[in-house]
């Protein structure tokens, strides 16, 4: 017991509800009156670099063990701060490098974040006693705050910089009073003062469907017992990617935009941009379109195929393990409905050829 108390730091904040590992670590450093880089260099030296990589995603075990030891946090509390908890829930094969399904890209360049992967809700930050950043704000599937019914933001509204709270105080050698984590590291704008925008709803039914999905993920991230089907969220990701891009002469996104009366749809005209790096409001629109298709897939996907907005064989392309109901829907219902058209045309050709062939012996 004596050794346990010797190991504890003077400041030993515990993770707040749904807090990210990086947010927790920065709060601990500032609590000790140190910049987070100085804090980590004192503890781990130059051999163990932290801030030139996505620490919320990597979450090395040695760092979690050290934070547990010095703050008295439990194993569960420490592990709940990392994005690894979404392994097998939103991500099929979790890995340390490369894009991950539904995990926002930070686009690291040394210690800078050039991507807009860290989102925030300004009203949540306003209501916090201590400003901190949530895990779900790193998820591409989360584009809106259900509590305040507003869109999340992914950049400083004043200088357009990506959110990098670990850089607060950098370039200020005598900085001892630390601003809250809600402060923009570049222009010192307080993100709590940003104007939250309402969510634009394209179709009530699809929006309710999307709200339920996001609500389940919020609950899971907060540690509640919620069952999330990886195949279903993978299908949603697949459908969202399809409506976001044009495939040759097939325009599924424009078809859905016409059906729901959206006049602000703009497709992504390249396959090289990952869904996880789209702007927040753009992703929200694409996800609402995908949700509209999945509310009644048998009818709406069939309509899209009939309208030549998508080919039915595209619906399963690049999906290694789709839900059984979806595979059945595409192969046995949508494809079967499309078949009579081709069979009829083929039959007409055969009939026309039959007139030319002498079948008498």
């Amino acid at each position: 017991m004596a050794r346990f108390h010797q190991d504890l730091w003077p400041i030993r904040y515990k993770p707040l509800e749904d807090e990210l590992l990086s947010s927790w670590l920065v709060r601990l450093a500032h609590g000790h009156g140190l910049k987070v880089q100085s804090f980590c260099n004192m503890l781990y030296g130059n051999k163990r670099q932290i801030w030139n990589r996505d620490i919320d995603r990597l979450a090395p075990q040695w760092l979690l063990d050290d934070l547990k030891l010095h703050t008295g946090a439990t194993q569960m509390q420490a592990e709940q701060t990392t994005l690894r908890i979404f392994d097998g829930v939103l991500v099929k094969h979790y890995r340390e490098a490369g894009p991950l399904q539904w995990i926002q890209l930070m686009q690291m360049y040394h210690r800078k974040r050039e991507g807009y992967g860290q989102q925030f809700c300004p009203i949540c930050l306003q209501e916090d006693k201590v400003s901190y950043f949530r895990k779900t704000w790193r998820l591409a599937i989360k584009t809106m705050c259900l509590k305040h019914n507003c869109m999340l933001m992914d950049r400083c509204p004043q200088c357009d910089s990506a959110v990098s709270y670990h850089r607060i105080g950098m370039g200020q050698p005598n900085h001892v009073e630390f601003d809250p984590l809600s402060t923009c590291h570049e222009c010192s704008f307080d993100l709590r003062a940003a104007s939250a925008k309402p969510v634009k709803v394209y179709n009530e039914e699809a929006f309710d469907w999307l709200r339920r999905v996001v609500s389940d993920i919020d609950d899971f991230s907060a540690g509640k017992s919620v069952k999330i089907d990886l195949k279903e969220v993978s299908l949603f990701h697949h459908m969202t990617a399809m409506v976001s891009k044009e495939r040759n002469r097939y325009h599924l996104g424009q078809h859905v935009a016409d059906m729901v009366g959206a006049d602000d749809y703009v497709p992504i005209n390249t396959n090289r941009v990952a869904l996880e790096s789209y702007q927040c409001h753009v992703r929200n629109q694409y996800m609402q379109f995908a949700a509209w298709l999945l509310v009644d897939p048998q009818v709406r996907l069939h309509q899209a195929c009939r309208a030549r907005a998508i080919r039915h064989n595209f619906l399963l392309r690049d999906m290694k393990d789709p839900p059984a109901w979806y595979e059945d829907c595409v192969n046995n219902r949508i494809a079967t409905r499309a078949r009579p058209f081709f069979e009829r045309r083929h039959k007409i050709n055969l009939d026309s050829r039959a007139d030319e062939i002498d079948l008498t012996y």
Side-chain angles (χ1 to χ4, degrees):
M1 181 63 73
R3 173 62 191 273
F4 174 77
H5 288 294
Q6 289 172 8
D7 290 333
L8 290 175
W9 287 334
I11 305 296
R12 41 185 180 272
Y13 302 140
K14 305 295 186 298
L16 299 171
E17 182 180 354
D18 195 34
E19 185 171 17
L20 268 172
L21 174 60
S22 57
S23 172
W24 181 30
L25 191 49
V26 173
R27 283 198 307 113
L28 283 167
H30 289 185
H32 285 88
L34 294 169
K35 297 174 187 174
V36 71
Q37 291 80 13
S38 305
F39 184 70
C40 292
N41 283 340
M42 287 174 59
L43 292 172
Y44 311 121
N46 292 325
K47 292 184 179 179
R48 286 179 165 175
Q49 291 295 317
I50 294 180
W51 298 106
N52 56 1
R53 56 204 69 192
D54 188 347
I55 197 67
D56 298 311
R57 180 169 157 178
L58 296 179
Q61 193 58 48
W62 60 264
L63 179 60
L64 296 180
D65 290 341
D66 202 59
L67 291 176
K68 278 188 309 179
L69 176 67
H70 295 303
T71 64
T74 65
Q75 177 86 14
M76 177 70 77
Q77 284 177 315
E79 291 181 351
Q80 277 290 316
T81 62
T82 79
L83 296 175
R84 284 185 180 277
I85 69 162
F86 297 109
D87 185 14
V89 178
L90 298 178
V91 182
K92 187 172 183 179
H93 300 295
Y94 198 94
R95 56 184 184 277
E96 296 183 350
L100 281 182
Q101 178 175 282
W102 293 126
I103 303 293
Q104 289 276 86
L105 297 173
M106 300 298 283
Q107 298 180 23
M108 314 285 295
Y109 179 72
H110 195 50
R111 292 179 178 177
K112 295 182 179 179
R113 312 290 188 257
E114 297 190 341
Y116 297 98
Q118 180 62 67
Q119 307 173 109
F120 64 94
C121 168
I123 307 178
C124 285
L125 291 176
Q126 287 172 21
E127 294 180 350
D128 289 341
K129 289 183 179 177
V130 178
S131 297
Y132 71 100
F133 285 77
R134 280 76 164 166
K135 287 195 301 293
T136 52
W137 293 350
R138 278 293 312 274
L139 301 179
I141 201 170
K142 172 99 175 179
T143 55
M144 54 190 177
C145 176
L146 299 186
K147 181 179 179 182
H148 301 108
N149 202 26
C150 65
M151 291 294 298
L152 298 185
M153 303 177 74
D154 58 7
R155 62 199 68 194
C156 172
Q158 182 162 285
C159 68
D160 212 37
S161 296
V163 177
S164 302
Y165 43 80
H166 69 287
R167 295 178 64 82
I168 293 174
M170 287 192 73
Q172 302 171 23
N174 298 320
H175 199 91
V176 290
E177 291 291 330
F178 290 97
D179 297 321
L181 268 61
S182 57
T183 306
C184 173
H185 73 285
E186 192 68 32
C187 68
S188 299
F189 178 79
D190 193 338
L191 301 177
R192 293 175 296 187
S195 299
K197 296 181 179 178
V199 183
K200 185 172 184 177
V201 179
Y202 294 94
N203 178 272
E204 289 289 347
E205 198 178 20
F207 185 67
D208 289 343
W209 188 95
L210 180 59
R211 279 185 65 94
R212 287 195 294 275
V213 173
V214 175
S215 176
D216 284 349
I217 292 170
D218 281 349
D219 290 343
F220 175 82
S221 186
K224 297 179 183 176
S225 178
V226 180
K227 182 173 176 54
I228 296 174
D229 192 329
L230 176 61
K231 291 184 179 181
E232 297 289 340
V233 293
S234 297
L235 170 62
F236 184 42
H237 186 276
H238 175 70
M239 202 62 67
T240 305
M242 281 204 302
V243 299
S244 69
K245 295 172 182 172
E246 295 183 344
R247 285 175 180 261
N248 301 324
R249 55 193 173 87
Y250 300 104
H251 311 288
L252 182 61
Q254 187 60 57
H255 168 76
V256 179
D258 294 339
M259 298 298 287
V260 301
D263 56 3
D264 56 349
Y265 167 73
V266 178
I268 302 293
N269 289 315
T270 174
N271 288 325
R272 294 185 177 180
V273 181
L275 173 65
E276 288 74 16
S277 61
Y278 295 172
Q279 290 186 41
C280 188
H281 70 280
V282 175
R283 239 181 310 116
N284 181 268
Q285 182 191 59
Y286 295 157
M287 289 199 297
Q288 287 196 50
F289 286 8
W292 183 83
L293 289 167
L294 292 175
V295 165
D296 192 357
Q298 187 170 326
V299 172
R300 292 175 177 172
L301 289 175
H302 175 64
Q303 287 174 342
C305 290
R306 290 290 298 266
R308 298 178 183 272
I310 190 76
R311 286 177 56 177
H312 77 271
N313 59 322
F314 284 179
L315 298 175
L316 285 170
R317 181 177 288 185
D318 301 329
M319 287 206 73
K320 295 181 180 177
D321 192 16
W325 68 264
Y326 178 72
E327 195 170 14
D328 175 68
C329 177
V330 174
N331 287 334
N332 300 327
R333 300 174 189 277
I334 296 173
T336 304
R337 285 186 176 190
R339 199 168 296 146
F341 169 77
F342 297 102
E343 288 177 349
R344 188 165 57 250
R345 186 174 64 176
H346 185 59
K347 185 173 184 301
I348 291 171
N349 290 338
L350 287 177
D351 290 345
S352 63
R353 289 288 306 276
D355 295 338
E356 303 170 2
I357 301 173
D358 184 3
L359 298 177
T360 60
Y361 291 93

